[in-house]
Amino acid sequence: ESALSRAQSRSEERSLASSDFTGLHNDAYFRSFLEREVRSRTKDGGDFSIIFLSVDNLALLNNKFGKKTGDEVLIHLTYLLGNFLSSEADCSGFLLFKAEGPWFALFMPETGLEPGADVADRIRVAVAQSSVFLTHVTVSAGVVAFDEFRNTSGSAEAVAATIHDAGMMKGRIAQKKGAGSIYYKVDESDFSPLENFVLVADPDTMN
């Protein structure tokens, strides 16, 4: 394999790992990262938590102002989250990813569920008070922790997928509860008693 071929391959890998307009690592990369972290914590112990957050009513913003404006909101949110993490002493080592659709995932090593929820609430306040957006913007978030799934059977890949799906589910429940909500402790009333499925749809995938 030539040096040029190797360089092109590395360029393609970086392109596949990055989100188009936020510059963050994308959901596929995040899932692979999460699998490695699950494997490491299963072997060596320790905890982590993840915030899954998204702009409230993004579909309405897209419909009112156009998708370009919606994308700009996500870019501004990326900038705001970066500033938040760099300015908060207890957020050192936290990693931000672009999850699926309009969602972001903030990975917080050695952080439990309730401390993770506290960080999510501080982010919620910072976004609501920010002047970087052209219109008032709020975010809602779901928080999961590895300790909730430590005893889940299956491969690291399967456990990581379960954690990812649970975090997205909690985020969507938060949005269902109202703009600017944080959801981290599971309430059985949020699930169907017959099928144990969450009764919520993602409005940002519906037009």
Side-chain angles (χ1 to χ4, degrees), residues 5-62:
S5 296
R6 290 194 297 271
Q8 289 174 335
S9 177
R10 287 194 295 270
S11 177
E12 290 172 358
E13 288 175 0
R14 286 193 296 269
S15 177
L16 289 172
S18 296
S19 175
D20 287 341
F21 55 85
T22 65
L24 298 172
H25 285 308
N26 62 21
D27 192 57
Y29 184 95
F30 173 58
R31 287 175 181 271
S32 177
F33 170 86
L34 184 55
E35 180 183 340
R36 294 194 299 270
E37 291 297 324
V38 166
R39 187 174 291 110
S40 173
R41 295 309 196 283
T42 301
K43 178 182 177 182
D44 302 324
D47 197 10
F48 62 76
S49 58
I50 308 168
I51 298 171
F52 286 82
L53 67 93
S54 185
V55 174
D56 294 314
N57 302 317
L58 184 61
L60 295 179
L61 289 176
N62 286 337

Side-chain angles (χ1 to χ4, degrees), residues 9 13 16 19 21 53 77 96 102 106-107 127 147 156 182 191:
S9 177
E13 288 175 0
L16 289 172
S19 175
F21 55 85
L53 67 93
L77 180 57
L96 183 64
L106 178 59
F107 179 85
V127 172
D147 268 355
I182 307 297
F191 296 82

